[in-house]
Amino acid sequence: MNSRRNFLSGSVATMLGAALVTKAGAASLPEAPLQSSAATMPPLMPPNGRPYNPVVTLNGWTLPWRMKDNVKEFHLVAEPVVREVAPGMTANLWGYNGQSPGPTIEVVEGDRVRIFVTNKLPEHTSIHWHGQELPNGMDGVTGLTQPGIAPGKTFVYEFIARRPGTFMYHPHADEMVQMAMGMMGSWVTHPKNPAQHRVDRDFVFLLNAYDIEPGARVPKVSTMLDFNLWTFNSRVFPGIDPLVVRQGDRVRIRAGNLTMTNHPIHVHGHSFEVTGTDGGWVPATARWPEVTTDIAVGQMRAIEFVADAPGDWALHCHKSHHTMNAMGHNVPTMIGVDHSGVAQKINALVPDYMVMGDKGGSMGGMQMPLPENTLPMMSGDGPFGDIEMGGMFTVLKVRTGQARNDYKDPGWYKHPPGTLAREWTGPMPAADAAKAPPADVNTLDVKRGSMPGMHH
Amino acid sequence: MKYPIACAMATLLLGGCASFSPDGGFDTVTSATRDRLGKDTRIVRTDADVAALAGTLAPLLATPLSVDSAVQIALLNNRGLQATYQRLGVAEADLVQAGRLQNPRFGFKRSHEGSDVLVDRSLTINLVNLLTAPLATRIESRRFEQTRLQVADAALTVAADTRHAYYGALGAAQQRTYARQVSDAAEAGAELGTRMAKAGNWSTLDMAREQSFHADAITRLAMADKDVLASREKLVRLLGLDSASAFTLPDRLPDLPVAAIALKQVDQIALRERLDIQAAKLQLQATAASLNLTRSTRFVNALEIGGVRNSASGNPPETGYELSLEIPLFDWGTARVAKAEATYMQGVHQLADTAIAARSQARESYGNYRVSYDLARHYRDQVMPLRKRISDETMLRYNGMLMSVFELLADAREQSGAAHGYIGALKDFWIADSDLQAALGGRLPSAPDGEKK
């Protein structure tokens, strides 16, 4: 895990935008830092402006700014990027400043924010600041509140970040294509008082999805629901970093959903409360305990809990296909199908053929060659073998000895004696369990309309 | 009058080659097959010839037939060709006959005149025959030469037909292999589909669909079987064999040659090399010669001259000449001349027609050869590698559970279909190669080396 990589070394600023903007405007533009790594970067401690407790963007980074006349100035460059979805697979996406999703923007309640947006895409774009209360003309809806930012042009947005909370940014121009291509980023407005809503570890990521044909690199932008890569911040397990916390830490996880379906996010080993929604912070009296929270399309949720249970806890979307990587959605079920004789026949024609799926979907650690630039349907090795997961799955690692601001992966949890499920090796009951009666084929052979008790 | 007759007879005896040649005119055929095909052929006449033939064929039939051995067997064992070879004997007999004088006619008449017994003896010789024999010999000699060319050409035709049939039979057998693979893939799919339905994983519709692939594949396999039978029997007939099991074929067609032969002015090669054109030329010359003959003999063809010796008993024999002359009073011979001229012009046009057809056929065959080569190479270098690539990629997608075993099987069916197409294209190339050889009158200027690979 490269999450400890020095932030500055990973974000060596490249004056990307400078080449595009006019000479007259260049002098007044802040630099547009570039991120080339898909690893989780450590929190960016605010060098100036109002103090706040920074977030950690899962497999992402926070965009540095400059203060000018008491205004926080950011520079986003919309451009094609190559994103590593997991080791072994890259995607040609559209993003911001070298990555998709783009960098997280962190500001403090009441900050005046000026964001320069340079368009290096082949078509016009815009940015909508999802959830912000701002002047209508800063809302970034092409045609409605502004013209599109033409390729090569730079627009500037300016408003005051009024309400603290969790937000997102994404285009409101050709958004079907641009969001399918990965144009999005997180936005966190911290409260003016750093002590308010204070947590020990504050994670943020977006739920997004892509349909990239195995062997291809560009997402299919016309796919509506049948995606094959369900991602946290455009990463799939085992490419997603774990959420590393110290035992007893108060943990916040902020997630925004920019896919086209809902995601019930489930945390093992702990119960949590939903403390924030799109509308703001939930009053303490209105919070209820959960172990799963459904994040609907276009929504954001902040959940909080005290990580009191040490261990390696699964954290995932509860839609089981969403914890898979690229898989065939039209593959027939083979369970229970006798292959004797047929397998040899098929082998005579297709020598590399192996029977799969007749006993279920588990591939039992089979290492078979796959098409280029794709990932196994489920993979990721754990201390006890194949985790058989992909997609929107990661691990919450709660450790006793983890240092306060240390996000380094501590390795696999070592279970104290007597706390691990184990094989029963004692005596078994003498009698076999009663066998199910054989299915009566005649009960299935009913003529249409002749079913007893059916009324027309 | 005695002297000119003796002179004519002497000329005839000196100039007439009125005897049978030791090879019966067969050397033209053997040199044609040897030069143009690199193969031997023989006339089978005697029991000893039959025994020798069996001895020659046995080793050729012991191993899978190559196209060369197939051609060799056909040249020796094709009975139709042997029948054609006998035309040489007929033509030579005509030639020898033409050079021989008609036997003199001896007449004997004994009559009574009262008590006298009169005896007439006459000896007549067909004088015109004597006069025209050299001419007739030349005509028959040309016809014999023409027959030799025609018979040699027939041997080349049988060789071309055999090559054609050989590649047809080989290609059909190989194509059946792929039809069987398609059927096997479909069978495995149908069986698995049935089990899928039985296990409750599939509907009757899905199952029926897989079974229908299999049913179609069985149909195509049966058609492939028919092709194999028909093409093999065609080859059997050309090889003159008693049974289709008398020979075996190799498993596969020869590879495509490294390069196609580049020829310029194929029509000129055809005109120069083709025996049927040479034979047609000779036929025209023969027609022309016989037209001259008709012109010179139209008034004298019935002229007969003979020595007469009459004797009556008790009297000294009466000797003298007898001459009869047809008087061109009713038939001036013009009809015969017109017929001969028409026949000549018929020959002229026929030769022109043969030449035009041969040139066109040569161009077409060469064009077909080049296109067939390119198509077979396209199959080999593009279609088949792409099919292989698709199969490999399909397999990878099966590995990743992105595709099902039914897609693997469907791909196996399609790959076999493409292989079937490739074999068809390769077969068509070798047939086009055979046709080009035939159209150019035998062996190609530089033989493709692919056959040896």
Side-chain angles (χ1 to χ4, degrees):
Chain A
M1 222 61 75
N2 287 328
S3 54
R4 301 311 300 167
R5 184 175 297 175
N6 183 308
F7 176 79
L8 287 175
S9 78
S11 64
V12 171
T14 306
M15 289 300 289
L16 257 193
L20 279 156
V21 297
T22 60
K23 276 181 182 165
S28 63
L29 267 181
E31 65 181 32
L34 179 75
Q35 179 55 264
S36 60
S37 165
T40 302
M41 293 298 151
L44 175 65
M45 301 310 290
N48 51 34
R50 293 184 175 109
Y52 64 83
N53 298 310
V55 297
V56 168
T57 306
L58 191 67
N59 290 104
W61 60 305
T62 289
L63 186 64
W65 66 88
R66 81 174 178 193
M67 293 300 293
K68 190 177 183 189
D69 306 330
N70 221 24
V71 177
K72 268 189 183 167
E73 286 190 338
F74 297 88
H75 190 175
L76 286 172
V77 177
E79 60 181 355
V81 301
V82 176
R83 171 77 173 181
E84 188 193 62
V85 176
M89 182 189 177
T90 57
N92 293 357
L93 302 178
W94 288 355
Y96 298 96
N97 301 45
Q99 289 295 320
S100 165
T104 299
I105 291 175
E106 290 183 75
V107 298
V108 179
E109 177 186 4
D111 274 354
R112 186 168 194 84
V113 181
R114 187 178 296 135
I115 307 143
F116 295 86
V117 179
T118 298
N119 183 8
K120 280 184 71 181
L121 298 174
E123 67 168 348
H124 71 94
T125 187
S126 73
I127 299 189
H128 166 59
W129 314 97
H130 186 121
Q132 301 285 350
E133 292 162 4
L134 37 58
N136 182 243
M138 295 294 162
D139 200 38
V141 181
T142 49
L144 182 64
T145 65
Q146 68 163 90
I149 308 168
K153 299 292 184 189
T154 298
F155 269 45
V156 59
Y157 295 85
E158 187 169 334
F159 52 90
I160 294 166
R162 297 188 186 281
R163 183 162 57 78
T166 312
F167 305 95
M168 309 184 279
Y169 64 87
H170 62 80
H172 232 298
D174 191 16
E175 58 193 90
M176 181 199 96
V177 166
Q178 294 190 7
M179 286 173 65
M181 289 294 286
M183 302 287 289
M184 58 191 72
S186 297
W187 177 303
V188 173
T189 304
H190 295 280
K192 224 175 248 175
N193 175 7
Q196 200 181 354
H197 309 301
R198 185 190 173 93
V199 292
D200 300 301
R201 311 244 175 178
D202 198 346
F203 297 95
V204 64
F205 55 88
L206 293 172
L207 311 177
N208 44 4
Y210 300 98
D211 184 17
I212 303 176
E213 195 73 13
R217 286 164 199 282
V218 177
K220 288 156 84 170
V221 297
S222 47
T223 299
M224 184 167 177
L225 291 174
D226 204 12
F227 295 92
N228 61 14
L229 292 168
W230 299 95
T231 63
F232 290 167
N233 264 2
S234 305
R235 292 284 282 189
V236 298
F237 187 75
I240 302 175
D241 283 339
L243 307 185
V244 177
V245 306
R246 184 174 65 155
Q247 188 183 5
D249 273 354
R250 185 166 181 83
V251 179
R252 178 182 295 133
I253 299 169
R254 307 167 189 249
N257 180 3
L258 284 177
T259 72
M260 287 191 262
T261 186
N262 62 313
H263 297 282
I265 298 296
H266 176 48
V267 180
H268 291 209
H270 297 80
S271 60
F272 56 78
E273 288 176 337
V274 177
T275 55
T277 73
D278 311 50
W281 296 105
V282 180
T285 52
R287 298 173 184 174
W288 54 10
E290 290 277 20
V291 293
T292 302
T293 189
D294 195 21
I295 307 178
V297 179
Q299 285 188 337
M300 285 149 285
R301 289 287 178 269
I303 63 169
E304 286 177 34
F305 58 96
V306 174
D308 50 7
D312 290 337
W313 303 106
L315 188 165
H316 60 94
C317 174
H318 218 290
K319 289 186 174 178
S320 55
H321 271 208
H322 293 185
T323 53
M324 294 286 114
N325 292 331
M327 58 185 275
H329 295 150
N330 293 313
V331 176
T333 305
M334 306 303 287
I335 293 171
V337 178
D338 177 18
H339 278 68
S340 55
V342 186
Q344 289 91 311
K345 255 182 211 168
I346 299 172
N347 263 121
L349 298 158
V350 190
D352 294 335
Y353 166 78
M354 277 176 69
V355 176
M356 286 197 297
D358 58 327
K359 294 174 184 69
S362 175
M363 293 189 262
M366 274 193 268
Q367 292 294 319
M368 289 194 291
L370 295 176
E372 61 168 342
N373 199 49
T374 193
L375 299 164
M377 188 168 115
M378 41 180 152
S379 65
D381 289 330
F384 302 103
D386 193 346
I387 295 177
E388 299 190 333
M389 289 280 180
M392 293 174 160
F393 177 93
T394 188
V395 180
L396 171 69
K397 297 197 169 198
V398 183
R399 291 292 185 279
T400 313
Q402 200 78 5
R404 173 161 279 276
N405 271 316
D406 187 4
Y407 289 85
K408 197 177 83 191
D409 186 348
W412 299 115
Y413 183 63
K414 291 182 179 57
H415 301 268
T419 64
L420 186 63
R422 63 194 187 282
E423 184 187 357
W424 174 256
T425 52
M428 298 294 286
D432 284 349
K435 280 182 181 143
D440 179 1
V441 285
N442 295 325
T443 59
L444 298 173
D445 188 21
V446 278
K447 298 267 188 303
R448 184 181 297 182
S450 70
M451 221 182 277
M454 242 180 96
H455 302 287
H456 297 278
Chain B
M1 282 300 284
K2 258 182 184 173
Y3 183 73
I5 295 167
C7 182
M9 287 179 73
T11 308
L12 183 64
L13 290 171
L14 290 171
C17 45
S19 60
F20 288 96
S21 53
D23 64 356
F26 200 60
D27 59 338
T28 306
V29 181
T30 48
S31 68
T33 60
R34 200 169 295 137
D35 294 349
R36 290 157 192 267
L37 305 174
K39 295 285 169 291
D40 288 328
T41 187
R42 294 197 289 267
I43 293 188
V44 179
R45 286 199 190 91
T46 63
D47 288 349
D49 290 345
V50 172
L53 178 60
T56 311
L57 294 186
L60 291 174
L61 291 169
T63 54
L65 278 189
S66 67
V67 69
D68 285 346
S69 52
V71 167
Q72 181 61 84
I73 292 167
L75 286 175
L76 295 171
N77 202 44
N78 182 296
R79 305 305 284 266
L81 190 56
Q82 288 293 334
T84 307
Y85 288 167
Q86 298 307 319
R87 280 178 54 198
L88 285 170
V90 174
E92 192 182 38
D94 286 347
L95 169 61
V96 171
Q97 188 65 49
R100 292 209 172 143
L101 290 182
Q102 280 181 14
N103 287 332
R105 265 183 290 180
F106 176 71
F108 180 82
K109 187 167 89 179
R110 187 176 185 275
S111 56
H112 296 271
E113 204 174 75
S115 59
D116 289 344
V117 175
L118 300 176
V119 175
D120 277 10
R121 295 177 191 87
S122 67
L123 184 68
T124 57
I125 290 174
N126 186 330
L127 185 62
V128 171
N129 174 239
L130 191 66
L131 290 171
T132 61
L135 202 53
T137 301
R138 280 205 299 279
I139 291 166
E140 289 300 337
S141 155
R142 264 192 214 100
R143 281 188 50 206
F144 183 44
E145 182 57 32
Q146 185 196 345
T147 304
R148 294 208 278 191
L149 289 171
Q150 281 171 345
V151 169
D153 190 54
L156 298 185
T157 302
V158 165
D161 290 349
T162 303
R163 272 199 300 261
H164 207 290
Y166 174 84
Y167 291 126
L170 197 47
Q174 217 179 326
Q175 276 174 322
R176 182 179 53 181
T177 308
Y178 289 100
R180 183 169 296 287
Q181 275 185 16
V182 171
S183 175
D184 288 350
E187 187 189 2
E191 199 167 331
L192 200 56
T194 308
R195 293 186 195 182
M196 294 277 289
K198 206 171 152 190
N201 301 21
W202 251 15
S203 69
T204 309
L205 173 62
D206 293 325
M207 179 182 76
R209 207 166 266 146
E210 285 297 321
Q211 286 173 338
S212 129
F213 287 140
H214 186 212
D216 290 348
I218 289 173
T219 313
R220 280 190 290 273
L221 183 59
M223 288 177 186
D225 281 336
K226 270 171 64 178
D227 284 350
V228 168
L229 177 71
S231 59
R232 199 175 168 99
E233 286 299 342
K234 188 176 176 189
L235 183 59
V236 167
R237 290 194 288 277
L238 283 159
L239 298 181
L241 297 172
D242 292 333
S243 112
S245 58
F247 63 91
T248 55
L249 289 174
D251 294 335
R252 47 197 292 272
L253 287 161
D255 289 337
L256 202 59
V258 174
I261 296 163
L263 295 178
K264 281 179 186 153
Q265 295 178 320
V266 280
D267 48 353
Q268 297 303 316
I269 297 172
L271 283 187
R272 193 175 66 235
E273 298 291 331
R274 278 176 68 143
L275 295 182
D276 59 340
I277 292 180
Q278 292 178 14
K281 275 186 198 160
L282 278 175
Q283 183 170 17
L284 187 62
Q285 284 171 16
T287 307
S290 73
L291 177 66
N292 286 337
L293 172 70
T294 307
R295 273 195 177 137
S296 62
T297 60
R298 64 175 166 171
F299 298 123
V300 293
N301 69 332
L303 184 71
E304 285 185 343
I305 188 165
V308 177
R309 185 180 184 273
N310 295 332
S311 67
S313 58
N315 292 327
E318 176 196 335
T319 56
Y321 295 93
E322 182 181 307
L323 196 67
S324 68
L325 179 66
E326 181 184 287
I327 301 165
L329 187 61
F330 307 111
D331 179 3
W332 286 79
T334 49
R336 273 200 301 277
V337 171
K339 183 183 172 186
E341 279 175 354
T343 307
Y344 176 72
M345 285 317 291
Q346 195 179 24
V348 167
H349 289 305
Q350 262 163 5
L351 176 60
D353 185 52
T354 308
I356 285 167
R359 293 174 65 182
S360 168
Q361 201 187 351
R363 289 190 299 267
E364 185 188 345
S365 300
Y366 182 59
N368 189 33
Y369 167 87
R370 293 299 294 248
V371 173
S372 300
Y373 181 85
D374 290 346
L375 183 62
R377 196 177 56 181
H378 174 69
Y379 260 103
R380 185 192 66 188
D381 296 348
Q382 304 293 327
V383 177
M384 293 311 289
L386 282 172
R387 285 291 351 162
K388 173 82 171 71
R389 183 118 197 232
I390 289 170
S391 288
D392 290 347
E393 291 291 330
T394 304
M395 188 71 222
L396 293 177
R397 276 152 187 80
Y398 174 77
N399 288 347
M401 285 191 160
L402 301 161
M403 285 180 174
S404 73
V405 64
F406 295 96
E407 278 150 309
L408 270 188
L409 288 171
D411 178 73
R413 286 199 300 266
E414 279 175 32
Q415 203 188 16
S416 298
H420 186 273
Y422 173 41
I423 298 306
L426 193 57
K427 179 181 84 175
D428 288 350
F429 165 75
W430 285 116
I431 286 176
D433 179 84
S434 302
D435 289 348
L436 179 60
Q437 291 186 41
L440 297 186
R443 199 183 277 188
L444 295 180
S446 58
D449 53 2
E451 263 179 286
K452 297 177 187 80
K453 281 203 323 194

mmCIF file of all heavy atoms in Angstrom, chain B residues 27 142 207 345 435 439 452:
data_model
loop_
_atom_site.group_PDB
_atom_site.id
_atom_site.type_symbol
_atom_site.label_atom_id
_atom_site.label_comp_id
_atom_site.label_asym_id
_atom_site.label_seq_id
_atom_site.Cartn_x
_atom_site.Cartn_y
_atom_site.Cartn_z
ATOM 1 N N ASP B 27 4.774 -42.830 -79.740
ATOM 2 C CA ASP B 27 5.854 -42.032 -79.157
ATOM 3 C C ASP B 27 5.430 -40.588 -78.931
ATOM 4 O O ASP B 27 5.884 -39.945 -77.990
ATOM 5 C CB ASP B 27 7.110 -42.087 -80.046
ATOM 6 C CG ASP B 27 6.830 -41.575 -81.443
ATOM 7 O OD1 ASP B 27 5.631 -41.577 -81.838
ATOM 8 O OD2 ASP B 27 7.783 -41.183 -82.137
ATOM 9 N N ARG B 142 -0.847 -37.074 -92.545
ATOM 10 C CA ARG B 142 -1.247 -35.927 -91.728
ATOM 11 C C ARG B 142 -2.327 -36.317 -90.724
ATOM 12 O O ARG B 142 -2.314 -35.887 -89.578
ATOM 13 C CB ARG B 142 -1.785 -34.813 -92.634
ATOM 14 C CG ARG B 142 -0.733 -33.782 -92.962
ATOM 15 C CD ARG B 142 -1.375 -32.567 -93.600
ATOM 16 N NE ARG B 142 -0.436 -32.021 -94.578
ATOM 17 C CZ ARG B 142 -0.526 -32.237 -95.877
ATOM 18 N NH1 ARG B 142 -1.525 -32.949 -96.380
ATOM 19 N NH2 ARG B 142 0.375 -31.729 -96.686
ATOM 20 N N MET B 207 -33.332 -25.124 -24.494
ATOM 21 C CA MET B 207 -32.900 -26.483 -24.808
ATOM 22 C C MET B 207 -33.157 -26.784 -26.289
ATOM 23 O O MET B 207 -32.297 -27.303 -27.001
ATOM 24 C CB MET B 207 -33.661 -27.470 -23.926
ATOM 25 C CG MET B 207 -33.301 -28.919 -24.182
ATOM 26 S SD MET B 207 -34.277 -30.041 -23.150
ATOM 27 C CE MET B 207 -35.836 -30.009 -23.998
ATOM 28 N N MET B 345 -13.498 -24.257 -95.303
ATOM 29 C CA MET B 345 -13.825 -23.047 -94.555
ATOM 30 C C MET B 345 -14.352 -23.394 -93.156
ATOM 31 O O MET B 345 -14.100 -22.673 -92.184
ATOM 32 C CB MET B 345 -14.863 -22.209 -95.317
ATOM 33 C CG MET B 345 -14.278 -21.478 -96.502
ATOM 34 S SD MET B 345 -12.670 -20.705 -96.178
ATOM 35 C CE MET B 345 -13.156 -19.408 -95.051
ATOM 36 N N ASP B 435 -6.582 -26.588 -63.599
ATOM 37 C CA ASP B 435 -7.247 -26.041 -64.780
ATOM 38 C C ASP B 435 -6.287 -25.172 -65.588
ATOM 39 O O ASP B 435 -6.325 -25.185 -66.821
ATOM 40 C CB ASP B 435 -8.468 -25.208 -64.357
ATOM 41 C CG ASP B 435 -9.600 -26.089 -63.838
ATOM 42 O OD1 ASP B 435 -9.513 -27.327 -64.019
ATOM 43 O OD2 ASP B 435 -10.551 -25.544 -63.241
ATOM 44 N N ALA B 439 -5.225 -25.636 -69.349
ATOM 45 C CA ALA B 439 -5.477 -24.563 -70.310
ATOM 46 C C ALA B 439 -4.205 -24.150 -71.032
ATOM 47 O O ALA B 439 -4.256 -23.626 -72.141
ATOM 48 C CB ALA B 439 -6.092 -23.356 -69.597
ATOM 49 N N LYS B 452 5.308 -29.960 -52.978
ATOM 50 C CA LYS B 452 6.328 -30.852 -52.437
ATOM 51 C C LYS B 452 6.428 -30.724 -50.929
ATOM 52 O O LYS B 452 7.068 -31.516 -50.286
ATOM 53 C CB LYS B 452 7.684 -30.535 -53.084
ATOM 54 C CG LYS B 452 7.673 -30.774 -54.577
ATOM 55 C CD LYS B 452 9.001 -30.392 -55.191
ATOM 56 C CE LYS B 452 8.963 -30.465 -56.703
ATOM 57 N NZ LYS B 452 8.339 -29.282 -57.313
#
